[in-house]
Amino acid sequence: MSNDLFIRASRQKTRFKTTQGALTVEDLWDLSLDSLDRIAVALDETIQKAGKKSFIGKRDRQAASDELAFEIVKHVIDTKIAESEAAKLRAVRRGEREFLEGLLRERQTEELKGLQREEIEARLKNLADTVE
C-alpha cells in the first residue's frame, strides 16, 4: 500500500506546504518528528474543514491531494517511530551483550587465577609447543 502512495505522490508531484516553503516527499525524511507532526496536524485540519466525505459523489482534486499528502506524512511518521524504537532495542541488546561478554571474561580470568602452579606451567608449555 505504501508503494502505491509514493507512486501516486510522485505522479502528482505532491508538495507539502511548510514555513520553510514547499517540500517534496523526499524532504519529509529529513524532518524531525515534531515538524512532521505539525504538517500532519495542518493537513488533518484542512481535510476536516473541507467537509464530510461522500462515498457516492466525486471528491474534488484538492481534497484528494490533501488526503494523499496526509497519508504520506503519517507513513513517514510511523516509519521513523518504528526505526527509532528498533534502534533503541538494538542499543539495549548491544549493551547487554557487552555486559555479558565482560562478565564472561571475568569468569574466565577467575578460573585461570584458580589454576595450580603445575596446571599453569603445563598450559604454558602446551602453548609454547603450538606456537613454535
Side-chain angles (χ1 to χ4, degrees):
M1 163 119 170
S2 66
N3 281 344
D4 182 50
L5 286 176
F6 292 101
I7 290 170
R8 288 179 22 221
S10 66
R11 285 185 169 201
Q12 294 176 17
K13 297 176 178 60
T14 301
R15 299 293 181 261
F16 301 84
K17 296 175 185 170
T18 69
T19 57
Q20 303 166 350
L23 302 177
T24 64
V25 174
E26 296 87 7
D27 294 329
L28 296 178
W29 296 102
D30 297 328
L31 298 177
S32 67
L33 282 173
D34 289 335
S35 295
L36 289 167
D37 186 51
R38 285 190 293 275
I39 293 170
V41 168
L43 284 166
D44 186 51
E45 288 172 356
T46 301
I47 292 167
Q48 297 302 321
K49 288 178 186 174
K52 292 185 180 181
K53 291 182 180 180
S54 173
F55 293 98
I56 57 173
K58 281 191 163 190
R59 293 185 303 170
D60 72 345
R61 289 186 117 167
Q62 187 59 47
S65 177
D66 290 341
E67 289 174 11
L68 173 63
F70 179 70
E71 290 301 317
I72 289 171
V73 173
K74 280 192 343 185
H75 178 79
V76 171
I77 289 171
D78 292 344
T79 301
K80 288 184 88 158
I81 289 172
E83 289 172 349
S84 175
E85 290 173 356
K88 288 177 186 173
L89 181 59
R90 281 192 306 274
V92 166
R93 287 183 175 168
R94 185 174 41 250
E96 184 176 357
R97 181 179 188 85
E98 289 171 1
F99 173 76
L100 291 172
E101 288 170 346
L103 198 56
L104 181 59
R105 282 190 297 275
E106 287 177 20
R107 292 293 192 274
Q108 290 169 337
T109 300
E110 288 173 12
E111 287 176 11
L112 290 173
K113 286 181 178 180
L115 293 177
Q116 298 296 319
R117 178 181 177 170
E118 295 79 22
E119 293 172 307
I120 295 171
E121 290 172 346
R123 289 180 79 162
L124 284 171
K125 184 178 184 316
N126 187 28
L127 288 172
D129 291 344
T130 59
V131 173
E132 295 174 3

